[in-house]
Amino acid sequence: AESRFSDMYLVRITSTGELDEGFGEQGIIRFKMGFKNYSSLSVLEDQSILFFLPSSPGMIVKLKSDGSLDEGYGKDGKFSLVYDNLNFSVIQFFVLSDNSLMCMARTMIEGRDKWCCFKITPTGSFDPSFGENGVIEDDPLLPYSMKAEQSDGKIVLRGFNNLIRINPDGTLDESFADKGVYQMKGNNII
């Protein structure tokens, strides 16, 4: 017998509380791939949807506003988070003003966490203008969570007990605090 409990459903409701008939199949999309949850979801200005599926490797999926896969994104609407032959899980992602994604991700190597910060283009590929081919890895300040994108494209990130400001290319903004890092005592940064 087919189990629906291991599937994931994405539902769109109209402002009147009804299923949106123009989305998926009568307002519902059923993912029959054994995914039980997602870790991040974002609706873009054009009503397309980006979300991360915690598969192995982790996968970012982009849907058009009608719920169909956006085949112009990644490979057939999906971008697998594989870097340096390792499968990564997205912990958090944020859509930037240009519709690119900033992803905080991790994997395990010999029982140790390996953290990376990825920038993914609006078409679903690593952004070669950011970090090293789209990736900042093994920075001693990782992991981050994004706090703000500034109008000049600089990004403020929160670490365990610090704030970091990076330039649009992923390098530390040395004009901010102590060479790009504001260090706190304790972990009281909100």
Side-chain angles (χ1 to χ4, degrees):
E2 181 181 358
S3 171
R4 294 178 180 247
F5 293 109
S6 65
D7 296 341
M8 184 183 86
Y9 294 83
L10 188 58
V11 177
R12 185 159 66 197
I13 309 286
T14 66
S15 60
T16 60
E18 304 293 323
L19 288 173
D20 183 343
E21 300 283 328
F23 181 77
E25 292 183 32
Q26 300 177 337
I28 301 171
I29 297 173
R30 178 180 174 196
F31 294 91
K32 301 176 186 180
M33 300 177 277
F35 300 120
K36 296 180 182 174
N37 57 19
Y38 65 92
S39 65
S40 294
L41 180 136
S42 187
V43 179
L44 304 179
E45 285 184 31
D46 66 358
Q47 298 304 300
S48 59
I49 299 168
L50 284 168
F51 61 95
F52 171 73
L53 295 173
S55 55
S56 183
M59 186 180 304
I60 296 171
V61 178
K62 185 174 183 186
L63 303 176
K64 295 178 184 176
S65 61
D66 66 359
S68 62
L69 285 170
D70 181 346
E71 294 185 7
Y73 185 82
K75 184 177 179 190
D76 300 324
K78 303 169 189 168
F79 177 77
S80 294
L81 210 52
V82 176
Y83 173 74
D84 200 21
N85 293 319
L86 298 170
N87 297 333
F88 280 83
S89 294
V90 170
I91 302 304
Q92 188 173 38
F93 79 72
F94 299 92
V95 179
L96 301 174
S97 61
D98 66 355
N99 282 337
S100 61
L101 297 179
M102 181 74 64
C103 299
M104 309 312 153
R106 76 178 181 111
T107 192
M108 296 290 285
I109 300 174
E110 297 175 2
R112 271 189 54 243
D113 282 336
K114 176 181 177 76
W115 290 88
C116 285
C117 179
F118 298 100
K119 186 173 182 189
I120 299 167
T121 67
T123 58
S125 61
F126 288 115
D127 184 341
S129 70
F130 180 82
E132 195 72 31
N133 296 315
V135 182
I136 299 172
E137 64 175 312
D138 288 337
D139 186 304
L141 303 172
L142 284 169
Y144 311 120
S145 65
M146 187 167 147
K147 296 313 283 180
E149 179 186 15
Q150 298 178 178
S151 61
D152 60 2
K154 293 180 181 182
I155 299 166
V156 178
L157 303 169
R158 177 189 166 274
F160 285 124
N161 60 353
N162 53 40
L163 288 176
I164 300 143
R165 188 164 72 185
I166 60 173
N167 295 306
D169 67 359
T171 59
L172 284 173
D173 175 7
E174 295 197 3
S175 70
F176 176 75
D178 183 16
K179 297 183 180 176
V181 180
Y182 178 78
Q183 194 69 41
M184 294 278 299
K185 291 186 176 156
N187 58 357
N188 298 327
I189 298 174
I190 295 175

